[in-house]
């Protein structure tokens, strides 16, 4: 029987070079989806195989890796991916956003501002922002090539006509460098503004769909909207019950079966750092009720 | 080219350059599939504000010709040129796909016989009309909606139906919506493929009336394909009769229909009732 | 007081231990051996090798054991291992005409050179549960004969000699064979990539797609020209040796469908081909594959592509069960933050709806 023996960070060097070429092309054309020969990874498609391949291709022995899922370092899939790289690459891992050189994420951008020497790697399920408007790859590629984005605005128009608002809460489409419309991965729209003019390199990997795309540092990223219906990030209007943060994205925790709710930071590292620095919240919140003071919360 | 009085006197006030140069020129146009020539050696010039009807039976090559003229089909022989908004006349074959598609959603319109081909049946009428505006960069929801409402009114659709999808519309309403969707960017040239086909006679009459007044009002140049000579008589200034892929007779509409030269045209004319 | 959930790492480790125990089952029952799986669940092994696209009975048996008999999971294990193997090159095309045939049937001719050979098959068994199989069953010895030395030409070659079927489309000289596990797939795809995709595709998906063509969704009037199963030699042309080196033999099933003819003013009418090939004995898979292959040739043969099985992008994007299961099952992963954002939006819309639809009196009071 062939006994398996694996390379540093699992992928063989030839595959890594192929992925790095795709990454370089992606950086050169911000927001453009570069096809790449995604490998079958030892974890299921749709569970971060794209992000894992990107991370594997850029990871060096000196790197410090952080992996989050839903903002948390301790969700099972984040643990599983962190262990995978600890085992196959032997790199140092951390939960502190500041200390990491590579951060792989699913569905969130950390609250702590990123800096120039960091790479944020997103796991992407469906890279094509036009996919649910036009299922055919041949057609969507043509639409991108010709910058024909009228259909995307039709969708936004329909939302407003029906609901009075743009009814997209996550995976909110953006235009990168005034050219390509891009799917930011299913991050809540709260995170969209963090992508704009970000000092860190942002890489996006979609394994099952075999696409890599990128936002180079300090690139303009604009959320699509109308002048009279501007993009608005959403955040539940309450301080974090644990660290009293007023500006972080919150998880809603169901505390009982009688409508009890509390809201805490989804970014666990951010929340814990604030608590360590002496910030304390109420630790419990009234059942579903936003702060009494007025003002729009989204 | 034929000199004639244009239907709308306002046109005479327009810049001379605008009207005395052809908008669309076909030169020796042909298309063959293997050994079968679907269309051959078609030449003509179309001027701003002029309506040209291409008539003939099915299989005469008129639909192929429309596809050649609108750049949807590559010609096997000859050229189609179009005078762009900047005044430069260009061979369509030399346009890039991006330029061609841009032309298609700005300066051109295409009205299909089946509205389902020209509309997004599942999205609202407002978005159907607004799409072309958004595609050219309109970014103000209120203004897009106002313009869409205005166009619905112009094509006699109740503005209260603006948020309904065309699949809830009648056949005649769908066709009028398709026309509004095409005209919202104020194109100079519109292609029409049997626009009244498949509609009831009374619905047809209303649609033709509407088309006639819009064409005059907007000074549209139109190439319309129809097998119905009554449609040609009502809308067009000039007629081309096609048979077996060739143009067999061409001239002013009244002349051709009242006093046809070719036996085939005589046969076509005798098979319809006088207007 | 609320404490954020911790201990995911310990939970994962224990879940793995639970899985190991569930896999082993009652430890008073004997551990199943790889030989037993390979010998007695041979068709499961064949399927895992085919869709895992790796010919190794022992590894496939191990994968089936590790996957607790879940064949898609086993295929996934084999695929992930295969992805790490170095590539030395591609073998020479195997010659299925020279197959040592164990089974061979044709529905187009009553008798063919080399004969019809029924071989080991479920066909014509009565599907009655057999209690004697429950334990200690010893089958009767089958009748055997000397292996025939008579050639068994492929039925499509017999038809091809008279020009009654289109020649098998040949790749251009020097054109390499595509490999969708090494290069990104673009549409439209060539037939080599389509066939590779179908060979790796899920048997159930191909069965349903092939079946749909028979029921009229892209019908192309097939006859089972021939289905053959047996052993073929695999050879590798080693450049430094200068000739093809035999690597060994593998078992294959091949199905060639003979389909409705095409023709035009310039071309004489002839039958068209649909092709299926799989590791081991996989008749359902190869027959389905041949139907779908033919359906996907619609564009090339100038047919109108209107049915799902004729839609290359649809078929090729959804045939892979490892991709499909990953994405369907990823819905198990946490989506808290998206859901929270969606909840926020929905609450807002409902609030506005309630306000807009409140009785006038309330509206006024609120103003």
């Amino acid at each position: 029987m062939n006994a398996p023996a694996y390379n540093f960070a699992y992928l063989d060097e030839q595959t890594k070079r192929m992925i790095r070429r795709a990454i370089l092309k992606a950086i050169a054309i911000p927001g453009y989806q570069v096809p790449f020969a995604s490998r079958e990874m030892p974890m299921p498609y749709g569970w971060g195989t794209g992000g894992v391949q990107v991370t594997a291709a850029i990871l060096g022995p000196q790197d410090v890796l952080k992996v989050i899922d839903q903002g948390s370092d301790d969700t099972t899939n984040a643990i599983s991916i962190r262990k995978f790289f600890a085992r196959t690459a032997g790199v140092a891992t951390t939960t502190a956003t500041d200390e990491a050189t590579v951060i792989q994420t699913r569905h969130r951008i950390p609250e702590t501002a990123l800096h120039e020497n960091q790479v944020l790697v997103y796991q992407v399920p469906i890279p094509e922002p036009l996919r649910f408007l036009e299922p055919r790859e041949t057609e969507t590629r043509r639409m991108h090539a010709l910058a024909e984005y009228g259909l995307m605005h039709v969708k936004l128009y329909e939302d407003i006509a029906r609901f009075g608002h743009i009814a997209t809460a996550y995976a909110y489409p953006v235009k990168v460098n005034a050219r390509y419309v891009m799917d930011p991965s299913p991050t809540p729209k709260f995170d969209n503004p963090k992508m704009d003019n970000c000092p860190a390199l942002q890489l996006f990997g979609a394994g099952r769909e075999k696409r890599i795309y990128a936002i180079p540092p300090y690139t303009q990223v604009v959320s699509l909207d109308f002048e009279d219906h501007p993009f608005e990030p959403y955040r539940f209007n309450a301080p974090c019950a644990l660290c009293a943060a007023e500006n972080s994205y919150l998880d809603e925790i169901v505390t009982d079966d009688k409508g009890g709710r509390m809201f805490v930071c989804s970014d666990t590292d951010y929340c814990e750092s604030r608590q360590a620095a002496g910030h304390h919240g109420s630790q419990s919140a009234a059942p579903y009720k936003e702060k009494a003071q007025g003002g729009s919360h989204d | 080219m034929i000199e004639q009085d244009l239907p709308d006197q306002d046109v005479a006030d327009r810049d001379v350059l605008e009207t005395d140069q052809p908008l669309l020129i076909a030169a020796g146009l042909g298309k063959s599939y293997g050994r079968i020539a679907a269309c051959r050696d078609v030449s003509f010039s179309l001027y701003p504000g002029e309506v040209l009807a291409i008539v003939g039976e099915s299989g005469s090559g008129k639909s192929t010709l429309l596809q050649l003229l609108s750049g949807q089909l590559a010609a096997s022989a000859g050229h189609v040129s179009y005078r762009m908004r900047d005044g430069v006349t260009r061979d369509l074959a030399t346009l890039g796909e991006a330029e061609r598609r841009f032309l298609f959603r700005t300066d051109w319109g295409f009205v299909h016989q089946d509205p389902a081909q020209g509309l997004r049946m599942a999205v609202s009428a407002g978005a159907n009309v607004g799409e072309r505006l958004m595609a050219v960069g309109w970014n103000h929801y209120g203004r897009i909606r106002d313009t869409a409402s205005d166009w619905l009114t112009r094509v006699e659709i109740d503005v209260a139906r603006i948020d309904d999808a065309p699949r809830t519309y009648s056949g005649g309403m769908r066709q009028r919506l398709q026309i509004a969707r095409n005209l919202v960017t104020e194109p100079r040239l519109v292609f029409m493929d049997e626009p009244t086909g498949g509609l009831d006679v009374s619905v047809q009459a209303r649609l033709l009336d509407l088309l006639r007044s819009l064409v005059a009002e907007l000074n549209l140049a139109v190439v319309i394909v129809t097998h119905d000579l009554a449609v040609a008589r009502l809308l067009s200034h000039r007629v081309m009769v096609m048979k077996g892929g060739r143009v067999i007779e061409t001239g002013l509409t009244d002349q051709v229909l009242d006093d046809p030269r070719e036996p085939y045209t005589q046969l076509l004319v005798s098979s319809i009732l006088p207007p | 007081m609320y404490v954020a959930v911790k201990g995911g790492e310990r939970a994962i480790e224990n879940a793995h231990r639970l899985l190991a125990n569930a896999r082993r089952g009652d430890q008073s029952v004997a551990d199943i051996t790889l030989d037993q799986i390979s010998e007695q669940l041979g068709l499961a092994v064949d399927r895992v090798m085919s869709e895992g696209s790796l010919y190794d009975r022992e590894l496939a048996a191990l994968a089936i054991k590790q996957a607790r008999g879940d064949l898609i999971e086993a295929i996934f294990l084999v695929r992930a291992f295969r992805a790490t193997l170095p590539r030395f090159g591609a073998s020479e095309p195997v010659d299925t005409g020279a197959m040592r045939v164990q089974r061979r049937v044709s529905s187009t001719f009553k008798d063919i050179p080399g004969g019809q050979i029924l071989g080991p098959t479920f066909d014509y068994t009565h599907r009655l549960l057999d209690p004697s199989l429950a334990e200690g069953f010893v089958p009767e010895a089958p009748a055997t004969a000397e292996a025939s030395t008579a050639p068994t030409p492929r039925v499509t070659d017999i038809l091809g000699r008279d020009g009654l079927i289109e020649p098998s489309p040949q790749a251009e000289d020097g054109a390499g064979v595509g490999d969708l596990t090494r290069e990104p797939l673009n549409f439209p795809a060539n037939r080599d990539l389509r066939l590779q995709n179908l060979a790796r595709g899920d048997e159930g998906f191909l069965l349903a797609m092939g079946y749909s063509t028979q029921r009229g969704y892209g019908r192309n009037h097939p006859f089972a020209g021939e289905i053959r199963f047996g052993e073929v030699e695999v050879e590798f042309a080693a450049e430094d040796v200068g000739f093809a080196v035999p690597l060994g033999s593998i078992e294959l099933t091949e199905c060639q469908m003979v389909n409705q003819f095409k023709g035009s003013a310039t071309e004489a009418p002839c039958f068209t081909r649909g092709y299926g090939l799989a590791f081991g004995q996989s008749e359902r898979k190869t027959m389905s594959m041949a139907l779908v292959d033919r359906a996907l040739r619609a564009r090339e043969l100038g047919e109108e592509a209107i049915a799902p099985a004729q839609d290359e992008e649809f078929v090729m994007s959804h045939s892979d069960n490892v991709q499909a299961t990953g994405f369907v099952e990823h819905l198990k992963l946490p989506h808290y933050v998206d859901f929270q954002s969606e909840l926020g939006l929905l609450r807002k819309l409902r609030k506005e709806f309630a306000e807009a639809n409140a009785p006038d009196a309330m509206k006024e009071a609120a103003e």
Side-chain angles (χ1 to χ4, degrees), chain A:
Chain A
M1 196 180 293
N2 294 302
Y6 298 112
N7 190 28
F8 175 82
Y10 180 76
L11 294 174
D12 60 281
E13 292 304 311
Q14 212 178 334
T15 298
K16 287 187 196 172
R17 278 194 289 275
M18 175 273 291
I19 295 173
R20 286 181 202 134
R21 281 195 294 273
I23 292 172
L24 288 174
K25 182 169 178 182
I27 294 169
I29 318 171
Y32 170 74
Q33 300 166 49
V34 181
F36 81 110
S38 176
R39 297 293 189 253
E40 318 232 41
M41 298 298 285
M43 57 193 64
Y45 282 114
W47 297 49
T49 56
V52 165
Q53 288 180 80
V54 169
T55 298
I58 63 169
L59 214 53
Q62 306 307 318
D63 272 312
V64 180
L65 177 69
K66 172 181 165 79
V67 182
I68 52 172
D69 188 337
Q70 315 298 301
S72 162
D73 299 90
D74 203 45
T75 41
T76 44
N77 203 44
I79 292 167
S80 169
I81 291 171
R82 191 165 58 239
K83 279 182 79 171
F84 176 75
F85 282 115
R87 184 185 304 155
T88 60
V91 293
T93 61
T94 183
T95 58
T97 301
D98 261 339
E99 291 168 16
T101 56
V102 176
I103 303 171
Q104 179 166 332
T105 179
R106 179 169 169 266
H107 294 193
R108 275 310 313 275
I109 300 174
E111 306 292 0
T112 307
L114 300 177
H115 55 78
E116 284 184 356
N117 296 317
Q118 293 180 310
V119 183
L120 183 60
V121 178
Y122 296 76
Q123 301 174 199
V124 182
I126 301 275
E128 179 49 74
L130 304 165
R131 180 60 68 238
F132 300 109
L133 305 169
E134 170 53 61
R136 269 176 205 285
E137 180 70 15
T138 36
E139 192 51 36
T140 53
R141 283 187 77 77
R142 178 191 313 249
M143 289 159 82
H144 284 295
L146 301 174
E148 278 186 10
Y149 294 126
L151 190 57
M152 182 57 92
H153 283 276
V154 165
K155 197 259 168 203
L156 303 181
Y157 173 98
E158 289 283 271
D159 277 0
I160 298 172
R162 192 171 312 152
F163 302 116
H165 300 277
I166 294 173
T168 300
Y170 60 92
Y172 190 105
V174 294
K175 193 171 234 182
V176 180
N177 201 28
R179 174 59 180 85
Y180 285 98
V181 168
M182 188 195 92
D183 183 312
S185 90
T187 49
K189 64 178 179 174
F190 174 84
D191 284 336
N192 273 23
K194 295 178 187 161
M195 301 165 68
D196 181 36
N197 203 33
C198 175
L201 170 62
Q202 301 173 73
L203 300 177
F204 299 77
R208 194 179 39 78
E209 299 278 342
K210 304 178 174 55
R211 295 289 182 274
I212 286 172
Y213 51 102
I215 305 173
Y218 301 110
T219 300
Q220 187 195 56
V221 178
V222 178
S223 301
L224 299 184
D225 61 5
F226 289 106
E227 286 163 34
D228 49 343
H229 286 266
F231 169 81
E232 294 173 330
Y234 162 79
R235 176 185 185 275
F236 190 82
N237 189 22
C240 168
L242 297 179
C243 77
E246 297 270 1
N247 52 3
S248 63
Y249 190 74
L250 301 174
D251 273 346
E252 178 173 342
I253 312 288
V254 179
T255 53
D256 56 41
D257 58 359
K258 300 175 186 68
R261 298 279 195 281
M262 64 182 285
F263 290 85
V264 299
C265 292
S266 108
D267 183 336
T268 48
D269 169 61
Y270 181 75
C271 194
E272 282 160 16
S273 311
R274 280 181 53 87
Q275 292 177 67
H279 298 280
H280 293 291
S282 64
Q283 306 211 353
S284 73
Y288 176 62
K289 191 172 186 184
E290 300 195 27
K291 230 165 48 166
Q293 73 193 48
S296 84
H297 59 265
D298 57 357

Side-chain angles (χ1 to χ4, degrees), chain A residues 10 37 39-40 43 45-47 70 74 79 106 136-138 165 169 186 208 210 249 252 283 298, chain C residues 1 6-7 9 76 79 84 181-182 200 311 313 323 326 330 334 336-338 340-341 347-348 352:
Chain A
Y10 180 76
R39 297 293 189 253
E40 318 232 41
M43 57 193 64
Y45 282 114
W47 297 49
Q70 315 298 301
D74 203 45
I79 292 167
R106 179 169 169 266
R136 269 176 205 285
E137 180 70 15
T138 36
H165 300 277
R208 194 179 39 78
K210 304 178 174 55
Y249 190 74
E252 178 173 342
Q283 306 211 353
D298 57 357
Chain C
M1 173 177 161
K6 284 277 178 191
E9 194 151 348
F76 183 11
R79 292 262 195 100
T84 66
T181 67
R182 310 302 283 184
R200 289 160 57 87
D311 185 331
E313 208 175 316
Q323 287 176 16
H330 108 284
Y336 318 137
V337 298
D338 301 347
Q340 180 53 218
S341 200
R347 283 173 176 149
K348 174 176 172 153
E352 287 174 0

Side-chain angles (χ1 to χ4, degrees), chain C residues 1-328:
Chain C
M1 173 177 161
Y2 173 76
V3 181
V5 187
K6 284 277 178 191
E9 194 151 348
R10 283 202 320 280
I12 291 177
E13 277 163 15
N14 204 43
H16 292 172
R17 282 194 291 271
L18 285 166
L19 170 67
N21 276 272
R23 176 192 295 126
R24 180 59 185 86
D26 182 348
Q27 293 188 31
S28 68
V29 175
D31 190 26
I32 193 170
T33 68
L34 299 192
D35 282 351
Q36 287 171 343
I37 294 172
S38 181
E39 292 300 312
Q40 296 176 41
L41 299 174
L43 297 185
V45 169
D46 288 347
R47 178 171 176 196
V48 169
M49 291 195 303
S50 275
E51 292 173 35
S53 52
L54 184 70
Y55 195 95
D56 188 320
R57 297 196 74 82
E58 196 181 359
L59 278 183
L62 175 63
I64 291 169
K65 182 174 180 180
Q66 188 176 332
R68 306 177 64 192
D70 178 335
L71 295 190
I72 292 181
E73 179 70 20
I75 290 160
F76 183 11
L77 289 168
V78 168
R79 292 262 195 100
F81 174 67
R82 178 188 186 274
T84 66
L85 296 176
R87 307 296 164 96
F88 300 111
S91 75
E92 294 296 293
V94 294
D95 180 5
T96 54
M99 180 185 276
R100 284 186 297 282
V101 168
Q102 295 178 42
R103 168 166 161 78
R104 182 212 197 190
V105 290
S106 168
S107 73
T108 49
F109 295 107
K110 187 172 179 184
D111 205 0
I112 39 178
Q116 304 241 23
I117 301 166
L118 209 46
T121 176
F122 292 123
D123 298 350
Y124 318 112
T125 61
H126 297 139
R127 267 66 170 198
L128 304 172
L129 278 172
D130 183 356
S132 71
L133 277 174
E135 209 174 336
F137 176 79
V138 181
E140 268 179 70
T144 54
E146 279 295 299
S148 161
T149 51
T152 49
R154 288 171 294 217
V155 167
T156 45
D157 292 346
I158 296 167
L159 289 169
R161 216 160 287 143
D162 299 331
L164 291 169
I165 193 163
E166 59 173 345
S168 204
Q170 297 294 312
E172 287 162 34
D173 272 344
V177 180
D179 182 351
L180 49 78
T181 67
R182 310 302 283 184
E183 297 297 328
L185 178 62
N186 285 315
F187 298 111
N190 285 337
R191 191 163 177 225
D192 55 347
L193 291 176
R194 296 202 306 257
L195 286 170
Q196 185 190 13
N197 177 281
L198 298 180
R200 289 160 57 87
D202 182 72
E203 179 172 316
F205 176 82
L206 293 184
L207 176 65
M209 281 287 135
Y211 179 45
S212 72
T213 68
Q214 287 180 287
R215 292 194 64 259
Y217 290 85
R219 180 149 189 250
N220 41 46
H221 312 272
F223 295 93
E226 183 176 357
I227 298 148
R228 57 169 63 198
F229 157 62
E231 269 186 16
V232 297
E233 295 290 336
V234 179
E235 293 183 329
F236 181 72
E239 267 175 32
D240 26 347
V241 187
F243 55 87
V245 183
L247 296 180
S249 61
I250 60 173
E251 286 185 337
L252 288 180
T253 305
E254 181 186 58
C255 171
Q256 299 233 38
M257 290 284 180
V258 175
N259 298 273
Q260 82 184 125
F261 41 84
K262 58 157 192 168
S264 67
T266 52
E267 259 182 290
C270 60
F271 289 119
T272 56
R273 293 170 187 258
Y275 189 77
L277 187 75
F279 289 150
Q281 189 171 10
S282 311
E283 288 175 30
R284 184 186 302 124
K285 166 73 180 262
T286 50
M287 292 178 77
S288 305
M289 178 175 167
L291 291 175
V292 178
D293 169 48
R294 175 60 185 79
L296 288 178
R297 296 181 63 208
R299 183 166 42 89
E300 163 198 347
L301 295 171
E303 296 163 348
E304 199 183 1
I306 39 173
Q310 294 170 314
D311 185 331
E312 160 185 304
E313 208 175 316
F314 179 82
V315 170
M316 292 182 72
S317 302
H318 301 113
S319 61
D320 192 299
N321 52 27
V322 177
Q323 287 176 16
T325 200
F327 201 47
V328 167

